[in-house]
Amino acid sequence: IFMTMALSFVGKGDVGAMLVVLASFLHLVLVVWFIYMSMAYGTMSDPSWFANTIGIGLCAVKIWFYYPLSGHFLIAITLIMTFLFYPICLIRVALNEKMSA
């Protein structure tokens, strides 16, 4: 929902700017909560995690139109999570017989 809001309301004036910032902030809160819950329960990353974690890059691109520094911050988070989760997911898919690639 937050990615859709950020993509839909960009360029819609001041209201659109507020909604893009709100959606990006809520997506960041969701990512922090998601990572915390996975660490609390000791779960390993799956390919389905990319919508929650790396999808924040879409919000980063849209918020960059209004606040470039915030956009760079979210892109940095996206890149860190990509380099962290992608190899783990790739290994899990390649070695787990229950997952189909």
Side-chain angles (χ1 to χ4, degrees), residues 35-78:
I35 298 297
Y36 169 76
M37 292 301 287
S38 68
M39 289 174 40
Y41 288 103
T43 58
M44 291 289 291
S45 62
D46 286 330
S48 63
W49 283 24
F50 287 102
N52 293 327
T53 54
I54 297 168
I56 200 165
L58 294 174
C59 290
V61 170
K62 296 306 178 181
I63 199 170
W64 180 79
F65 290 126
Y66 301 107
Y67 303 103
L69 189 59
S70 299
H72 290 288
F73 174 71
L74 293 179
I75 285 290
I77 290 174
T78 300

Side-chain angles (χ1 to χ4, degrees), residues 31 35 53-54 56 76-86:
V31 166
I35 298 297
T53 54
I54 297 168
I56 200 165
I77 290 174
T78 300
L79 290 174
I80 289 168
M81 285 190 279
T82 300
F83 291 126
L84 177 70
F85 290 139
Y86 185 72

Side-chain angles (χ1 to χ4, degrees), residues 5 9 12-24 66-67:
M5 284 178 61
F9 292 108
K12 306 283 189 204
D14 292 336
V15 173
M18 280 193 320
L19 289 172
V20 168
V21 170
L22 177 68
S24 299
Y66 301 107
Y67 303 103

